[in-house]
Amino acid sequence: SQELEQSPQSLIVQEGKNLTINCTSSKTLYGLYWYKQKYGEGLIFLMMLQKGGEEKSHEKITAKLDEKKQQSSLHITASQPSHAGIYLCGADRSFGNEKLTFGTGTRLTIIP
Amino acid sequence: DAGITQSPRYKITETGRQVTLMCHQTWSHSYMFWYRQDLGHGLRLIYYSAAADITDKGEVPDGYVVSRSKTENFPLTLESATRSQTSVYFCASSARTGGLNTEAFFGQGTRLTVV
């Protein structure tokens, strides 16, 4: 079963609006990665979070890892059509664990 | 060209046939991964490899075999393809620093249909 849960599974947002995608784990996360996938293509790395409370931004996308390191959120400000795609969170669930596993994904649609 | 490439991009095969998906990376990354992507399941890890000749099972390894005789190549073989293995397969590679994965780079995917 998937140990990383993302919500919502799909999201339809009007262009210009803000949105948030969540990634939740039942276990402590030692490394949390956000990727974006355009339809029919491979995954593109967005950012990586390691420390509890850490926050990173890239252009209009901000990601946070909560203090307990069990949940991360991805926030997009003033959404644009280029933000459309599938967002996936990935995780290292223990330090030194070599497996890089992913959540179920969130499909984001931006409507004009 | 530098990067990670998968071949073929598209493959149709019959139930029971053996099929091999190829993955090649030029960065000399030590870690390589195979995932399958299915609607409603996100990306699920099939197998991964920490270095040449070192491989380990992921979340859904049944029905698949991997090998890694060279650092740059990580082929995935379906020994006897089944319809449930119809999926999009992604290969990825990454380095590791301080016990954690660094950015993983993904191939473009192989869309496999088993009929």
Side-chain angles (χ1 to χ4, degrees):
Chain A
S1 63
Q2 215 86 22
E3 293 186 27
L4 276 177
E5 295 293 332
Q6 284 186 238
S7 62
Q9 289 189 351
S10 65
L11 193 54
I12 300 173
V13 174
Q14 191 170 25
E15 183 177 353
K17 298 293 186 182
N18 303 335
L19 63 105
T20 300
I21 298 168
N22 294 302
C23 176
T24 302
S25 172
S26 58
K27 301 178 181 179
T28 298
L29 301 169
Y30 287 85
L32 190 287
Y33 312 81
W34 282 101
Y35 284 80
K36 178 188 174 184
Q37 182 182 27
K38 290 189 176 181
Y39 301 118
E41 299 182 11
L43 279 69
I44 304 298
F45 175 79
L46 294 175
M47 53 193 88
M48 174 186 173
L49 305 166
Q50 286 182 239
K51 301 176 183 177
E54 186 174 12
E55 179 176 322
K56 288 187 176 178
S57 294
H58 176 68
E59 297 180 345
K60 295 185 178 181
I61 300 175
T62 300
K64 301 179 184 179
L65 183 61
D66 76 357
E67 291 290 343
K68 293 184 178 179
K69 296 171 65 176
Q70 288 189 254
Q71 184 173 10
S72 178
S73 61
L74 184 84
H75 185 76
I76 298 177
T77 303
S79 58
Q80 302 170 349
S82 61
H83 289 130
I86 300 172
Y87 289 81
L88 294 106
C89 63
D92 287 312
R93 264 194 288 281
S94 64
F95 194 82
N97 183 346
E98 300 158 336
K99 296 181 184 180
L100 175 58
T101 55
F102 284 84
T104 48
T106 295
R107 184 179 294 267
L108 175 62
T109 302
I110 307 294
I111 55 175
Chain B
D1 292 336
I4 181 165
T5 55
Q6 293 183 234
S7 61
R9 288 293 310 276
Y10 302 92
K11 177 74 176 178
I12 300 174
T13 192
E14 294 178 338
T15 301
R17 290 196 178 267
Q18 182 181 79
V19 60
T20 297
L21 310 183
M22 305 301 293
C23 180
H24 175 78
Q25 53 107 352
T26 60
W27 294 295
S28 298
H29 284 160
S30 57
Y31 285 83
M32 296 188 75
F33 307 85
W34 272 108
Y35 297 89
R36 59 178 290 172
Q37 186 174 35
D38 306 286
L39 194 63
H41 292 282
L43 275 177
R44 292 183 290 176
L45 181 64
I46 305 171
Y47 270 96
Y48 66 101
S49 169
D53 297 322
I54 301 175
T55 62
D56 205 351
K57 297 178 180 179
E59 300 166 292
V60 289
D62 293 343
Y64 303 95
V65 174
V66 294
S67 62
R68 195 161 174 212
S69 57
K70 294 183 178 181
T71 299
E72 61 267 29
N73 296 323
F74 191 38
L76 176 74
T77 298
L78 287 67
E79 294 185 297
S80 179
T82 65
R83 289 182 181 173
S84 64
Q85 293 177 309
T86 293
S87 186
V88 181
Y89 292 85
F90 286 98
C91 177
S93 72
S94 78
R96 281 180 74 85
T97 302
L100 294 174
N101 282 295
T102 61
E103 173 184 356
F105 294 85
F106 282 78
Q108 288 297 93
T110 295
R111 185 174 295 272
L112 176 68
T113 302
V114 183
V115 297

